[in-house]
Amino acid sequence: MAEITLIEPQKKDKTRCNVYVDGRFYCGIKLEIAVKYRLKAGMQIEEGRLDEIQLATEKAQALDKAMTHISATMKTKKQIRDFLIRKGYTSAVCDYVLEKMEQLKLADDCEYCRAYVNSVSGKGKRALEADLIKRGAERAAIEKALADKEEDADEALRVIEKYLRGKENTKENVYKGMKYLLSKGYSYDTAKQAVEKLGGGYEDY
């Protein structure tokens, strides 16, 4: 058994409270629900019971919050889960919301990765992969999106030309430009093709 050690009103929403179990934050819940189930500090309770209470009473609200969260831009499933956790929802509620959103085709890492890869320019595949990993996309979804993408030497050429703008067209600066392309996630072959397109005898990189 666990012990509810503190129940306190939330600062930003006085209709909700934070529930602490064994001295650590456990979940957020409506004040009226805390009263209905007679939750109070010092009460012995199974943590699973708090999950059941929140799932039964707040799953619809959690789903609504998640839908609002993705209304401006697409999100990975991990980003949605992290958002709900920050709002104080338990894993059980997060699982419910994500299952519903997947059914509605609103939480789809494959679609997210495909859209992200197609919308970002000026980055090579390695950089795109790092971005998607940071966003918590599923590995299989990342690999599928990148497998369908061909690195564009003309795009890399535009990147290096922008980097070299205002600089003397010396071999040293072109070398720095190639290193810059590599830092932007382009493969060596793509970076080399871009340098070759610059002309000027720099094809030996």
Side-chain angles (χ1 to χ4, degrees):
M1 294 288 285
E3 180 182 335
I4 296 177
T5 49
L6 176 66
I7 298 179
E8 63 178 4
Q10 293 184 357
K11 293 180 180 179
K12 294 184 178 180
D13 186 350
K14 299 303 181 181
T15 68
R16 296 178 63 78
C17 60
N18 293 327
V19 180
Y20 292 79
V21 174
D22 292 337
R24 60 183 176 81
F25 173 76
Y26 189 78
C27 69
I29 203 165
K30 292 180 182 177
L31 278 170
E32 62 185 84
I33 299 302
V35 172
K36 177 181 177 180
Y37 287 91
R38 300 178 182 178
L39 303 179
K40 59 183 180 179
M43 180 179 180
Q44 298 294 313
I45 192 170
E46 293 285 351
E47 289 187 358
R49 179 57 180 154
L50 287 173
D51 292 358
E52 292 172 0
I53 291 171
Q54 194 189 63
L55 180 61
T57 60
E58 301 202 10
K59 61 185 181 183
Q61 183 185 55
L63 179 58
D64 184 63
K65 285 182 180 293
M67 299 278 274
T68 301
H69 184 56
I70 67 167
S71 61
T73 59
M74 294 175 65
K75 302 288 191 298
T76 65
K77 286 186 281 188
K78 184 178 186 302
Q79 287 174 325
I80 296 170
R81 182 180 290 276
D82 289 346
F83 166 77
L84 291 172
I85 289 173
R86 289 196 300 273
K87 291 296 182 181
Y89 291 106
T90 64
S91 294
V93 173
C94 293
D95 291 343
Y96 168 84
V97 170
L98 284 168
E99 182 180 350
K100 288 296 182 183
M101 293 183 74
E102 287 182 62
Q103 291 173 0
L104 295 169
K105 309 297 184 185
L106 296 174
D108 186 334
D109 277 11
C110 285
E111 179 60 24
Y112 178 93
C113 292
R114 184 197 65 77
Y116 183 83
V117 166
N118 290 336
S119 66
V120 174
S121 61
K123 289 187 177 183
K125 293 174 76 170
R126 290 201 311 275
L128 293 171
E129 179 182 21
D131 287 348
L132 291 170
I133 290 174
K134 184 177 180 180
R135 287 164 171 76
E138 295 173 344
R139 171 58 65 177
I142 295 173
E143 292 176 354
K144 186 177 187 304
L146 293 177
D148 295 337
K149 177 180 175 59
E150 294 291 335
E151 282 194 340
D152 187 348
D154 289 330
E155 178 185 277
L157 174 62
R158 290 191 291 273
V159 173
I160 193 173
E161 285 178 334
K162 183 177 180 180
Y163 174 82
L164 292 172
R165 195 173 299 158
K167 299 181 177 68
E168 292 185 25
N169 197 19
T170 64
K171 193 165 186 175
E172 180 182 1
N173 282 336
V174 173
Y175 175 69
K176 290 179 179 179
M178 184 168 181
K179 288 179 64 177
Y180 178 73
L181 286 178
L182 296 175
S183 74
K184 298 295 285 185
Y186 289 99
S187 68
Y188 173 81
D189 288 342
T190 301
K192 187 172 186 296
Q193 289 176 39
V195 168
E196 290 172 349
K197 286 175 178 287
L198 280 175
Y202 301 117
E203 297 84 354
D204 56 338
Y205 284 106

